[in-house]
């Protein structure tokens, strides 16, 4: 869309206290519409009935308080239930025909749990989408988090000024016009060429916070009580997943990939207590660890496999349509194609024509 100079608008919207303020009547209604019946229907009913909580202040506790709204965050069905709760908003925008169209495909609304993303061609079209957001919020008792409601515009300086001078509002509140926004834990930017750098910087900063916070006295243990195996296990289960979280959905290569590799080399030397310029290949062999580049590529292939096994996923068609784009232009499918070539795997386009 940017290549075609459409100056699209992107709205990132997050529901405030989504799981704690879910309307249970609306939730059960949508679960019924989704096809729940019999025992699974009764299970859902019991999930949203007769729930109580206790408030704590210091060492004092309140009496039992009955909950009349909300759902259990982290429950077995919580994420799927909230997906059905949001389905009316998704259907409203799909039926309206609003949203950016690329290759005869509309991108008016993409929702995952309580995170919604909408893309449109023009400001009036975005206003129409926002009207549907407001209607849904009124009917289903939803409040949007104003701090996380951000509209970006990918275009010229005059295009962005037009957006900022408009009277656009979400749920009666003026949205933010930040150059960057967060959606599903990934940072988006009006400068598309900087998206990979921004996200890698964010992941390193977040992982450093964990490392130099509650894990500092374990990795740099002075008592001699923490074994090498414990440190490596903490790296594998806490630090490395934090470092790579979400990056499999981006095109991470070149300089940004080297930043991740260098960070891993540094922490490996710290764990094994070697010199700063010591070779790390012996450390990988002795520990049995796969280099971080391999883990990143495995998670990308895993993401592709999820789309491959679900042919109804719109991502499948997007991958096919962008597979032959020029390299290094930010298309995930072409980046995936290069990774498959590196490991001598069949082309993703060939795999999509075969059963998984």
């Amino acid at each position: 869309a940017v290549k075609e100079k459409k100056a699209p608008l992107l709205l990132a919207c997050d529901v405030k206290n989504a799981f704690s303020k879910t309307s249970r009547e609306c939730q059960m209604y949508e679960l019924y519409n989704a096809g729940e019946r019999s025992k699974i229907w009764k299970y859902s009913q019991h999930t949203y009935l007769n729930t109580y909580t206790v408030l704590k202040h210091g060492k004092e506790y309140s009496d039992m308080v009955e909950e009349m709204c909300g759902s259990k965050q982290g429950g077995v069905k919580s994420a799927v239930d909230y997906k059905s709760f949001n389905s009316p908003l998704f259907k409203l925008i799909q039926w309206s025909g609003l949203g950016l169209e690329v290759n005869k495909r509309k991108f008016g609304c993409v929702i995952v749990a309580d995170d919604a993303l909408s893309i449109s061609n023009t400001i009036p079209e975005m206003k129409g989408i926002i009207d549907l957001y407001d209607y849904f919020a009124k009917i289903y008792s939803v409040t949007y988090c104003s701090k996380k409601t951000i509209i970006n515009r990918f275009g010229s300086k005059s295009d962005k000024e037009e957006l900022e001078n408009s009277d656009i509002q979400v749920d009666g509140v003026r949205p933010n016009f930040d150059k960057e926004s967060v959606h599903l834990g990934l940072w988006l930017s009006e400068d598309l060429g900087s998206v990979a750098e921004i996200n890698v910087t964010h992941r390193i900063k977040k992982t450093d916070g964990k490392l130099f916070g509650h894990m500092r006295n374990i990795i740099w243990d002075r008592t001699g009580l923490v074994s090498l195996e414990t440190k490596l296990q903490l790296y594998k289960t806490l630090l490395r997943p934090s470092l790579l979280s979400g990056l499999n959905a981006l095109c991470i290569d070149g300089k940004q990939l080297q930043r991740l590799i260098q960070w891993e080399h540094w922490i490996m030397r710290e764990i094994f207590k070697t010199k700063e310029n010591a070779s790390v290949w012996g450390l990988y062999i002795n520990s049995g660890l796969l280099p971080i580049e391999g883990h990143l590529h495995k998670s990308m292939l895993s993401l592709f496999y999820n789309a491959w096994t679900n042919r109804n996923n719109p991502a499948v068609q997007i991958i096919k349509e962008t597979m032959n784009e020029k390299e290094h232009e930010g298309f995930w499918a072409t980046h995936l194609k290069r990774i498959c070539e590196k490991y001598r795997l069949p082309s993703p386009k060939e795999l999509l024509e075969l059963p998984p």
Side-chain angles (χ1 to χ4, degrees):
V2 174
K3 286 172 64 179
E4 295 175 5
K5 299 182 179 180
K6 291 183 178 180
L9 294 92
L10 185 146
L11 168 67
C13 208
D14 189 282
V15 176
K16 187 176 182 180
N17 299 325
F19 285 88
S20 60
K21 292 188 176 180
T22 305
S23 169
R24 295 183 173 182
E25 292 79 7
C26 296
Q27 178 70 84
M28 294 306 300
Y29 174 75
E30 292 303 332
L31 288 175
Y32 188 85
N33 285 340
E36 284 198 2
R37 300 291 188 274
S38 189
K39 291 183 179 180
I40 190 68
W41 168 254
K42 290 182 179 179
Y43 171 81
S44 295
Q45 278 187 316
H46 292 309
T47 300
Y48 296 102
L49 291 175
N50 301 320
T51 59
Y52 296 85
T53 190
V54 173
L55 304 179
K56 180 183 179 182
H57 178 69
K59 294 183 179 181
E60 298 180 355
Y61 294 86
S62 71
D63 295 332
M64 297 287 285
V65 179
E66 185 177 4
E67 297 175 333
M68 304 303 294
C69 66
S71 60
K72 184 171 68 173
Q73 189 168 3
V76 175
K77 286 177 78 266
S78 295
V80 178
D81 284 3
Y82 205 86
K83 182 179 179 180
S84 66
F85 180 82
N86 269 334
S87 62
L89 174 60
F90 177 78
K91 291 175 182 176
L92 279 171
I93 297 176
Q94 289 293 101
W95 293 338
S96 71
L98 298 171
L100 176 72
E101 183 174 339
V102 179
N103 294 332
K104 297 181 180 181
R105 191 179 303 278
K106 290 284 186 178
F107 292 92
C109 189
V110 179
I111 299 177
V112 178
D114 61 328
D115 289 306
L117 193 73
S118 292
I119 311 176
S120 71
N121 286 309
T122 63
I123 292 176
E125 188 176 45
M126 180 57 78
K127 285 182 177 180
I129 292 174
I130 290 172
D131 286 342
L132 296 177
Y133 272 84
D134 292 344
Y135 178 75
F136 171 76
K138 182 179 179 181
I139 301 299
Y140 276 58
S141 303
V142 166
T143 304
Y144 299 112
C145 182
S146 57
K147 290 183 179 180
K148 295 183 180 180
T149 302
I150 300 172
I151 296 182
N152 303 110
R153 190 165 200 185
F154 303 86
S156 64
K157 186 176 180 180
S158 60
D159 291 327
K160 296 172 185 177
E161 289 177 352
E162 181 188 9
L163 172 62
E164 294 178 6
N165 294 330
S166 66
D167 59 349
I168 198 165
Q169 293 184 338
V170 180
D171 201 15
V173 179
R174 185 84 165 156
N176 301 299
F177 300 112
D178 300 343
K179 291 182 179 180
E180 299 172 2
S181 60
V182 182
H183 183 66
L184 297 178
L186 288 177
W187 285 82
L188 308 176
S189 174
E190 293 176 1
D191 179 9
L192 296 177
S194 67
V195 170
E197 181 182 357
I198 291 171
N199 279 278
V200 169
T201 300
H202 177 69
R203 294 318 314 170
I204 291 176
K205 182 179 178 181
K206 194 132 187 172
T207 307
D208 281 344
K210 293 181 179 181
L211 176 61
F212 294 107
H214 58 277
M215 294 183 63
R216 178 182 56 191
N217 293 330
I218 301 175
I219 299 298
W220 289 281
D221 172 54
R222 295 182 180 180
T223 65
L225 299 176
V226 181
S227 66
L228 178 63
E229 290 74 15
T230 300
K231 294 178 183 181
L232 288 173
Q233 190 64 27
L234 286 173
Y235 172 69
K236 290 189 291 184
T237 57
L238 294 177
L239 294 177
R240 187 171 62 200
S242 171
L243 192 63
L244 295 179
S245 178
L247 297 184
N248 59 336
L250 302 175
C251 301
I252 306 297
D253 56 6
K255 182 179 178 180
Q256 303 313 317
L257 179 59
Q258 283 302 313
R259 291 176 66 193
L260 297 174
I261 293 172
Q262 288 170 8
W263 194 94
E264 183 177 66
H265 288 180
W266 167 75
I267 194 62
M268 289 283 287
R269 293 184 179 111
E270 291 294 323
I271 290 174
F272 281 92
K273 297 181 180 180
T274 63
K275 294 180 179 180
E276 290 184 5
N277 59 350
S279 173
V280 296
W281 295 112
L283 305 182
Y284 281 120
I285 293 171
N286 288 331
S287 63
L289 292 178
L290 180 70
I292 197 166
E293 180 182 9
H295 282 281
L296 178 61
H297 292 165
K298 279 180 65 179
S299 61
M300 281 194 67
L301 293 169
S302 176
L303 189 61
F304 169 71
Y305 182 76
N306 289 341
W308 184 21
T309 54
N310 183 7
R311 298 305 177 90
N312 295 324
N313 191 328
V316 174
Q317 192 60 33
I318 295 173
I319 291 171
K320 288 181 178 180
E321 292 169 355
T322 57
M323 187 68 65
N324 296 322
E325 294 286 346
K326 293 181 180 179
E327 292 187 4
H328 306 294
E329 288 196 355
F331 289 97
W332 189 83
T334 58
H335 184 56
L336 175 69
K337 183 179 177 181
R338 292 206 314 273
I339 289 174
C340 289
E341 290 172 355
K342 179 176 182 176
Y343 295 103
R344 299 180 182 180
L345 297 172
S347 165
K349 193 171 184 179
E350 295 176 12
L351 291 173
L352 290 173
E353 301 300 327
L354 301 172

